[in-house]
């Protein structure tokens, strides 16, 4: 039987999710990769236990996470909960998302309702803490999507709702509908990293902070590029080596030069590149939590160290911006 670390809450930083009373750890565990049927169950269970022992209370799933993309990650999470962790359900924040059934962005009432029911069944849960619509659907009226999410709360199947991959304008539009419905809408989940700063130029990052919307960002390490794994070649067991990412073509000589200089700045701060990249995303307090993926427990331990060094000197930020702007 699993027994968690009794000191697990002593070092983790917890941030309030928007204007809600919910708090999320500054580092959360995403189970997109390495939680499928073809992956080692013992390893995924150890990663979840390691995360919880370090104070990571938030686990982020989706209906199409895992390999194959048919709910395998949610099903494996349900099995992990059964093997000693379900007793800590009240401490865990479990979120999931609905993506389209045909490889599209379906935001229909029918699909969102059915997807959540299937997710709850796979994880053997009565409710999820946060239920997201995964990607903005231009072909479904936004009112329909909002009403479906609102209905999930009214049915007791979700405590809060969120959106993912919505830009500033789309967020503002659905937020106005949620306000009329009095839906507990608290979070947007966009991509954001040193190498992907679209939420800054779009205005979403500042808008969310002004409106009291939590930002839970994914790919803060840009699919592993913002680590030291590729500074001297492509390891066979890496995401690029396994063919599990689309970023191989971005690993140019110029990009490697940038990464190596960023790595030098990280070393001068007493951090690894991955740790500095996470600290940088969290640096201003406008991002509530970063969603990390991992292939082994050691990566989780390493990434959690980022929350202990969130301050940057202005000279460091200027040097980082200069490198990134090349």
């Amino acid at each position: 039987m699993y027994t968690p670390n009794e000191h697990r809450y002593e070092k983790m930083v917890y941030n309030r999710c928007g204007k809600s009373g919910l708090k999320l750890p500054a580092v959360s565990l995403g189970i997109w990769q390495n939680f499928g049927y073809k992956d080692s169950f013992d390893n995924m269970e150890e990663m979840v236990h390691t995360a919880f022992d370090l104070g990571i209370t938030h686990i982020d799933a989706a209906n199409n996470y895992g390999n194959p993309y048919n709910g395998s990650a949610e099903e494996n999470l349900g099995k992990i909960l059964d093997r000693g962790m379900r007793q800590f359900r009240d401490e865990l924040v479990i979120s999931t998302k609905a993506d389209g059934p045909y490889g599209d962005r379906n935001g229909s009432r029918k699909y969102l309702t059915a997807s959540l029911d299937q997710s709850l069944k796979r994880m053997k849960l009565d409710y999820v803490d946060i239920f997201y619509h995964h990607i903005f659907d231009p072909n479904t009226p936004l009112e329909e999507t909002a009403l479906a999410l609102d209905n999930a709360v009214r049915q007791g199947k979700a405590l809060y709702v969120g959106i993912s991959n919505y830009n500033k304008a789309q967020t503002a539009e659905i937020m106005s509908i949620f306000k009329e419905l009095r839906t507990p809408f608290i979070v947007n989940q966009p991509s954001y990293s040193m190498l992907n700063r679209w939420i800054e130029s779009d205005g979403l990052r500042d808008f969310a902070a002004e409106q009291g919307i939590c930002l839970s960002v994914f790919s803060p390490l840009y699919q592993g590029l913002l680590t030291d794994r590729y500074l001297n070649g492509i390891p066979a067991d890496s995401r690029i080596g396994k063919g599990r990412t689309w970023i191989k073509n971005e690993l140019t000589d110029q990009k490697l030069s940038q990464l190596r200089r960023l790595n030098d700045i990280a070393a001068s701060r007493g951090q690894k590149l991955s740790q500095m990249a996470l600290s940088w995303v969290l640096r201003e307090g406008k991002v509530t939590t970063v969603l990390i993926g991992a292939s082994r427990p050691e990566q989780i331990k390493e990434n959690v160290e980022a929350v202990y060094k969130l301050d940057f000197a202005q000279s460091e930020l200027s040097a980082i911006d200069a490198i990134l702007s090349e």
Side-chain angles (χ1 to χ4, degrees), residues 263-274:
N263 189 56
D264 289 340
I265 296 174
S268 71
R269 287 170 48 83
Q271 291 183 303
K272 302 193 72 169
L273 176 55
S274 57

Side-chain angles (χ1 to χ4, degrees), residues 21-317:
L22 183 68
K23 286 189 174 182
L24 297 179
V27 174
S28 299
L29 180 65
I31 59 173
W32 174 33
Q33 300 280 355
N34 304 307
F35 279 79
Y37 295 143
K38 298 179 181 179
D39 299 302
S40 165
F41 182 83
D42 288 343
N43 184 59
M44 64 182 79
E45 183 175 49
E46 186 179 357
M47 287 194 289
V48 170
H49 289 173
T50 297
F52 194 58
D53 285 344
L54 292 169
I56 296 178
T57 52
H58 178 211
I59 302 174
D60 183 70
N63 63 342
N64 62 353
Y65 281 4
N67 186 10
Y69 303 113
N70 58 358
S72 55
E74 289 180 328
E75 187 171 325
N76 281 323
L77 177 58
K79 293 177 181 178
I80 292 170
L81 292 174
D82 281 342
R83 286 164 54 92
M85 286 205 68
R86 204 169 291 278
Q87 61 182 313
F88 306 107
R89 174 65 182 99
D90 291 347
E91 299 177 47
L92 291 168
V93 177
I94 298 176
S95 59
T96 196
K97 298 176 283 293
D99 210 349
Y102 317 114
D104 59 10
R105 303 178 176 188
N106 200 306
S108 71
R109 183 184 183 96
K110 172 179 173 56
Y111 184 67
L112 292 180
T113 302
S115 178
L116 179 55
D117 285 344
Q118 292 162 12
S119 292
L120 293 174
K121 183 177 181 180
R122 284 190 288 263
M123 294 185 284
K124 303 177 188 175
L125 296 175
D126 296 324
Y127 69 93
V128 291
D129 297 282
I130 305 171
F131 180 48
Y132 290 90
H133 179 222
H134 207 161
I135 304 177
F136 177 79
D137 178 6
N139 299 314
T140 298
L142 208 53
E143 292 84 355
E144 180 177 344
T145 299
L147 282 166
L149 292 170
D150 179 77
N151 191 53
V153 175
R154 295 182 187 277
Q155 290 182 328
K157 297 176 182 178
L159 302 184
Y160 306 92
V161 302
I163 53 178
S164 180
N165 297 291
Y166 278 54
N167 63 26
K168 175 186 173 182
Q170 295 159 351
T171 301
E173 186 177 356
I174 199 169
M175 182 179 69
S176 67
I177 302 171
F178 284 138
K179 282 185 176 180
E180 289 186 16
L181 296 171
R182 300 184 66 82
T183 311
F185 163 59
I186 62 172
V187 58
N188 189 349
Q189 187 180 121
S191 59
Y192 182 48
S193 71
M194 284 181 168
L195 299 178
N196 177 20
R197 302 174 68 169
W198 75 271
I199 66 171
E200 295 177 19
S201 57
D202 175 73
L204 174 61
R205 190 181 66 144
D206 290 339
F207 175 77
E210 293 164 2
Q211 297 297 320
I213 301 169
C214 161
L215 289 181
S216 171
V217 306
F218 68 90
S219 292
L221 300 180
Y222 203 70
Q223 297 287 298
L225 213 59
L226 285 164
T227 70
D228 58 10
R229 298 216 75 193
Y230 303 109
L231 298 182
N232 299 295
I234 300 176
D237 63 345
S238 65
R239 281 195 184 182
I240 292 180
K242 293 178 180 178
R244 287 190 173 183
T245 179
W246 43 265
I247 62 168
K248 182 177 182 179
N249 292 336
E250 295 197 25
L251 198 59
T252 62
D253 289 341
Q254 179 183 0
K255 186 71 70 180
L256 275 172
S257 175
Q258 289 177 303
L259 294 175
R260 285 167 179 155
R261 282 176 286 158
L262 289 172
N263 189 56
D264 289 340
I265 296 174
S268 71
R269 287 170 48 83
Q271 291 183 303
K272 302 193 72 169
L273 176 55
S274 57
Q275 293 168 336
M276 184 181 76
L278 296 176
S279 297
W280 182 91
V281 169
L282 292 164
R283 72 195 183 281
E284 294 179 345
K286 294 182 179 180
V287 169
T288 302
T289 186
V290 291
L291 292 163
I292 62 166
S295 59
R296 57 188 189 279
E298 290 73 23
Q299 291 175 322
I300 299 172
K301 295 176 183 178
E302 178 181 298
N303 288 338
V304 163
E305 294 290 326
V307 305
Y308 311 141
K309 206 162 194 176
L310 301 180
D311 293 331
F312 285 79
Q314 186 55 52
S315 59
E316 292 173 329
L317 293 173

